């Protein structure tokens, strides 16, 4: 799915109904035209300059380096309606939900060296579209060329349609939010896979983090969205090991901050990155630029979620998922964590003890482990 905006391009890849990747690319059609306008008077082959500039920016998009086969392309943007009308000239069809690739390429070649005033006069192109029509088509062609598609799907929706749909669905279909969050989770798992994360460990930390979060609601007072941010951090917390095992948590922070995660605001991304930054040894400190730049509310959220993920991570310190079942209960000033295992978890016990201090500092509750040891069958 390619959304060609005036200032940027949003690219999303879906496979088997799951969002794999979303990336924002600058500049968009109008920005390209504005940036290169001074060059137009200095060359007789301005379209070639436009093509080269657009290619130099778009070739860095991750999907251009992918080995996947893209079978379909869906395009959104302010100029798509104009492009669709031009491509369906002579068909006797005023508007349809797709543009044939052959028709698009024919119109593209026709427009390549037409001046804006000629577009208006000969093709009835709206005046406001003449300057950005060609950059939009160049961007579209670049993406179309890496697919095997014989047509471009054009649903003719815009930002206003999306905002109105979101408002209606929040009121009439609250489950829709869950579907969107599943898309975000899917894309985050693909990011983690790209950085060759330890999937079994990440899933174990994710599962245990959510158990602690759910059982301690009265203690932390956080909501569903914070739970979701904790889940994202649990998936991504060790991705920094792709760069270096030493101080991997710092690399995790930087990699998350550099990621495009559709549906996550910059503020939320900073929270997720900071949770990952502090899941290991170092605890949040006002001497750290990445922590102090957060607002007061976000710092509180980060501290609470860091306290939780550190405990969850400690219970799989060996990365061997030795603890299959945990139960959590509050008892006066203690958090009792009952573990069911048949294996030696001395490493987990020791790590839990080292990370319990920060949990107690944040919540004023001392984490205590109680182990039920089963019999290991040989």
């Amino acid at each position: 799915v390619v959304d060609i905006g005036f200032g940027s391009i949003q690219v999303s890849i879906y496979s088997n109904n799951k969002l794999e990747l979303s990336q924002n690319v600058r500049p968009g059609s109008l920005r390209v035209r504005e940036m290169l306008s001074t060059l137009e008077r200095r060359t007789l082959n301005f379209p070639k300059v436009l093509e080269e500039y657009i290619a130099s920016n778009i070739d860095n998009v991750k999907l251009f380096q992918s080995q996947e086969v893209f079978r379909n392309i869906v395009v959104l943007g302010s100029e798509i309606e104009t492009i669709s009308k031009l491509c369906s000239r002579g068909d006797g069809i005023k508007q349809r939900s797709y543009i044939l690739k052959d028709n698009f390429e024919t119109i593209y070649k026709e427009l390549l060296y037409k001046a804006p005033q000629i577009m208006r006069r000969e093709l009835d192109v709206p005046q406001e579209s003449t300057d950005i029509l060609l950059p939009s088509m160049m961007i579209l062609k670049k993406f179309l060329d890496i697919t095997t598609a014989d047509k471009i799907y054009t649903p003719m929706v815009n930002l206003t349609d999306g905002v109105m749909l979101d408002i209606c669905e929040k009121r009439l279909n609250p489950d829709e939010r869950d579907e969107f969050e599943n898309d975000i989770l899917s894309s985050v798992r693909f990011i983690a896979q790209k950085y060759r994360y330890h999937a079994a460990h990440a899933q174990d930390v994710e599962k245990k983090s959510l158990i602690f979060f759910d059982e301690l609601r009265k203690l932390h007072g956080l909501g569903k969205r914070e739970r979701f941010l904790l889940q994202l951090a649990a998936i991504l917390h060790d991705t920094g090991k792709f760069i270096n095992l030493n101080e991997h948590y710092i690399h995790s922070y930087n990699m998350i901050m550099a990621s495009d995660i559709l549906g996550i605001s910059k503020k939320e991304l900073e929270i997720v990155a900071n949770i990952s930054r502090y899941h290991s040894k170092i605890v949040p400190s006002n001497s750290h630029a990445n922590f102090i730049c957060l607002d007061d509310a976000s710092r509180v959220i980060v501290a609470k979620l860091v306290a939780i993920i550190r405990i969850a991570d400690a219970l799989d310190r060996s990365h061997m998922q030795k603890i299959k079942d945990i139960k959590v209960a509050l008892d006066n000033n203690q958090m009792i964590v009952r573990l069911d295992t048949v294996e030696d978890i001395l490493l987990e016990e020791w790590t839990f003890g080292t990370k319990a201090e920060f949990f107690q500092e944040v919540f004023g509750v001392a984490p205590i482990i109680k182990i039920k040891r089963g019999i290991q069958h040989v």
Side-chain angles (χ1 to χ4, degrees):
V1 181
V2 182
D3 186 356
I4 304 172
F6 291 138
S8 64
I9 309 159
Q10 187 72 38
V11 188
S12 302
I13 300 172
Y14 287 84
S15 178
N16 298 317
N17 286 330
K18 291 184 178 180
L19 178 64
E20 287 193 11
L21 167 72
S22 184
Q23 186 174 359
N24 189 267
V25 186
R26 289 183 174 84
S29 56
L30 179 60
R31 189 71 178 136
V32 167
R33 200 69 167 81
E34 289 176 343
M35 291 173 69
L36 300 184
S37 59
T38 56
L39 297 179
E40 190 168 7
R41 295 185 297 272
R42 298 170 57 185
T43 178
L44 296 175
N45 199 356
F46 184 59
K48 187 174 187 299
V49 176
L50 271 177
E51 281 185 321
E52 290 175 353
Y53 182 78
I54 288 170
S56 69
N57 282 276
I58 293 179
D59 282 345
N60 292 322
V61 177
K62 294 184 183 71
L63 67 90
F64 280 84
Q65 300 152 16
S66 171
Q67 301 302 312
E68 294 181 70
V69 176
F70 302 102
R71 297 183 179 87
N72 303 288
I73 179 169
V74 180
V75 182
L76 312 172
S78 60
E79 301 311 306
I80 298 306
E81 184 173 359
T82 300
I83 295 171
S84 179
K85 287 178 179 177
L86 289 171
C87 292
S88 60
R89 284 184 307 160
D91 289 357
I93 302 173
K94 290 186 177 179
Q95 187 173 320
R96 54 187 169 192
S97 60
Y98 62 87
I99 299 170
L100 293 174
K101 180 177 181 179
D102 290 345
N103 289 1
F104 173 82
E105 291 182 340
T106 298
I107 293 297
Y108 178 77
K109 291 174 184 176
E110 183 180 342
L111 293 182
L112 204 53
Y113 291 96
K114 278 191 185 296
Q117 59 270 25
I118 297 177
M119 288 186 195
R120 289 198 299 271
R121 185 173 65 249
E122 294 184 0
L123 302 174
D124 198 27
V125 174
Q127 183 171 352
E128 64 273 14
S129 297
T130 52
D131 284 339
I132 58 175
L133 182 61
L134 190 56
S136 295
M137 293 187 74
M138 286 180 173
I139 292 168
L140 173 51
K141 187 177 187 304
K142 187 71 180 171
F143 284 100
L144 179 61
D145 285 345
I146 65 163
T147 75
T148 59
D150 61 356
K151 62 174 70 73
I152 304 159
Y153 292 98
T154 54
M156 301 297 180
V157 294
N158 56 34
L159 179 61
T160 304
D161 298 322
V163 171
M164 292 302 297
L165 181 63
D166 187 56
I167 292 171
C168 292
E169 285 181 338
K170 281 179 179 176
R171 294 190 179 187
L172 303 177
N173 184 15
D175 292 338
E176 186 69 25
R177 183 70 186 180
D178 293 336
E179 292 179 20
F180 185 46
E181 288 188 349
N182 287 336
D183 274 345
I184 299 172
L185 284 171
S186 174
S187 67
V188 166
R189 294 191 205 283
F190 276 107
I191 291 172
Q193 287 171 13
K194 180 179 66 176
Y195 295 125
R196 301 175 189 172
Y197 78 140
H198 191 303
H201 171 65
Q203 289 164 11
D204 193 76
V205 174
E206 177 186 352
K207 176 185 174 183
K208 287 181 170 60
S209 293
L210 297 182
I211 289 173
F212 280 113
F213 186 96
D214 293 341
E215 296 299 325
L216 300 174
R217 286 184 186 277
K218 291 183 179 179
L219 186 63
H220 57 65
L222 300 176
K224 187 177 180 182
R225 190 63 175 177
E226 288 77 23
R227 183 185 190 272
F228 183 62
L229 299 180
L230 174 63
Q231 189 174 5
L232 298 183
I235 296 168
L236 296 171
H237 75 281
D238 271 350
T239 50
K241 290 181 178 179
F242 182 79
I243 303 295
N244 197 318
L245 291 177
N246 295 324
E247 297 186 332
H248 70 277
Y249 41 88
I250 296 176
H251 300 304
S252 293
Y253 170 86
N254 292 329
M255 290 162 71
I256 292 169
M257 288 300 296
S259 298
D260 281 322
I261 304 178
L262 186 67
I264 298 297
S265 67
K266 183 178 183 296
K267 179 178 177 179
E268 290 176 328
L269 190 68
E270 288 178 335
I271 290 173
V272 172
N274 273 278
I275 296 168
S276 300
R277 166 73 170 80
Y278 296 114
H279 82 272
S280 186
K281 301 176 183 177
I282 311 301
V283 298
S285 169
N286 288 338
S287 65
H288 299 160
N290 56 280
F291 185 68
I292 198 63
C293 73
L294 301 173
D295 58 49
D296 291 343
S298 295
R299 286 201 290 270
V300 171
I301 291 169
V302 167
K304 290 180 177 181
L305 297 182
V306 165
I308 291 173
I309 198 173
R310 284 167 70 88
I311 293 293
D313 186 51
L315 293 178
D316 190 37
R317 183 63 185 85
S318 64
H319 289 210
M320 296 176 67
Q321 299 78 58
K322 295 178 180 179
I323 300 165
K324 303 304 181 186
D325 187 39
I326 69 170
K327 290 184 173 57
V328 183
L330 292 173
D331 183 11
N332 294 324
N333 292 326
Q334 292 183 331
M335 176 182 71
I336 310 299
V337 183
R338 301 184 188 277
L339 308 178
D340 192 349
T341 183
V342 298
E343 301 187 58
D344 180 358
I345 59 167
L346 181 60
L347 181 59
E348 279 73 18
E349 288 182 72
W350 175 77
T351 309
F352 186 93
T354 64
K355 295 193 175 184
E357 184 179 343
F358 183 69
F359 187 96
Q360 186 169 2
E361 181 183 335
V362 171
F363 293 114
V365 172
I368 304 295
I369 285 181
K370 293 191 176 181
I371 304 172
K372 178 184 176 182
R373 297 192 185 277
I375 298 174
Q376 188 169 17
H377 298 284
V378 178

